[in-house]
Amino acid sequence: MLAVLLVALGVAMLAGVGLGAVRVGAADVFEAIGRMVSGTPKMAGDAVIVDIRLPRVVLAALVGACLATAGVLYQALFRNPLADPYILGMSAGAGLGAVIALTLTAGATAFRFGAVPLGAFIGAVLTIVVVVRLASLKGVLDVTSLLLAGVALSYVLAALTSFIMVFFRESMTTIVFWMMGGLTAASWPYVLTVAPMFALGSAIPLLATREMNLLLLGEERASELGVDVERFKRLLLASGSLLVAGAVAVSGLIGFVGLMTPHIVRLVLGPDHRMLLPASAIAGAIVMVLADLAARTILAPVELPVGIVTALVGGPFFIWLLVRRGVGR
């Protein structure tokens, strides 16, 4: 099954690079990539492939893989299929960090390229640190307190974001577009920023899929079977937070990928994390590459924020999930 998903990802990425305002054939794509890898001088038209579309498609795949993997981790941590990567307030924290960066660079837009992702990353990380601190009582990380602290802090951070937007209205349009999510600023430096975060954030859980399966039985049962539950919960939280912070920093807020992708994979492959985790990462990459392709081409030359595309697909799926859960009770 993983081989099938990898083939599908390859096809999706090839379509993402080849389709757009200027269509490029598959042979031209491979030849341009070959020249880039070998260091051969570029041909006319290579810049569109290797400098614009390829980094964007690779970044979309990484962001999708990060969000889907984080979704699997949070759903295992909370033992709740409706948990998503933004459930702990990281989206609100990242949004506030980005808004502050956008406001401070209003008169110096050249600095926004680095300042906005950095601000979003710092906001997301600080939020999760505060939430974990609030939910930790006597060294024990209570999952319910973690969820409640995340929700409460989200409201506070969202209010602060709105407050800043009201007082700096000239930046409101830019802020709103960033918060809808997008990959228009994609570049190889962004790819090189997210790639190691994805590698580190996903490698650790991949080595602990047995513990994740045992955690689904409940914390007490997992502890009886040899899992250091408190240490493992913090490990999952740190890995998921690293993945989400990396994705948010380069793409803004893109919803539903981390929620719906694990569910689709779970329906097909079952709940075993040995397969669910890698399959969700690949499936998330496919979803984001196709969503970004749709965002670029549906109303071309106008480009939609990719968050709108994922929300239009993810919203109905979420409603269907709720209805299905209600029928099953």
Side-chain angles (χ1 to χ4, degrees), residues 61-182:
L62 283 171
V63 169
C66 283
L67 294 176
T69 303
V72 175
L73 300 186
Y74 284 126
Q75 287 167 13
L77 176 64
F78 291 103
R79 297 194 300 280
N80 186 331
L82 301 182
D84 80 343
Y86 299 136
I87 195 169
L88 297 179
M90 295 186 71
S91 60
L96 179 60
V99 167
I100 292 173
L102 287 167
T103 303
L104 293 177
T105 58
T109 54
F111 292 104
R112 283 183 175 175
F113 177 80
V116 174
L118 181 63
F121 180 80
I122 293 173
V125 171
L126 288 179
T127 300
I128 198 64
V129 169
V130 173
V131 169
V132 171
R133 182 67 178 170
L134 291 173
S136 297
L137 298 173
K138 299 180 180 179
V140 177
L141 184 61
D142 181 69
V143 173
T144 302
S145 297
L146 190 69
L147 181 62
L148 293 175
V151 172
L153 195 58
S154 291
Y155 282 111
V156 175
L157 295 173
L160 290 173
T161 301
S162 300
F163 181 82
I164 294 174
M165 290 172 66
V166 168
F167 276 85
F168 297 94
R169 296 183 182 181
E170 65 276 8
S171 300
M172 187 175 293
T173 302
T174 306
I175 292 170
V176 169
F177 267 90
W178 184 88
M179 296 186 76
M180 287 192 289

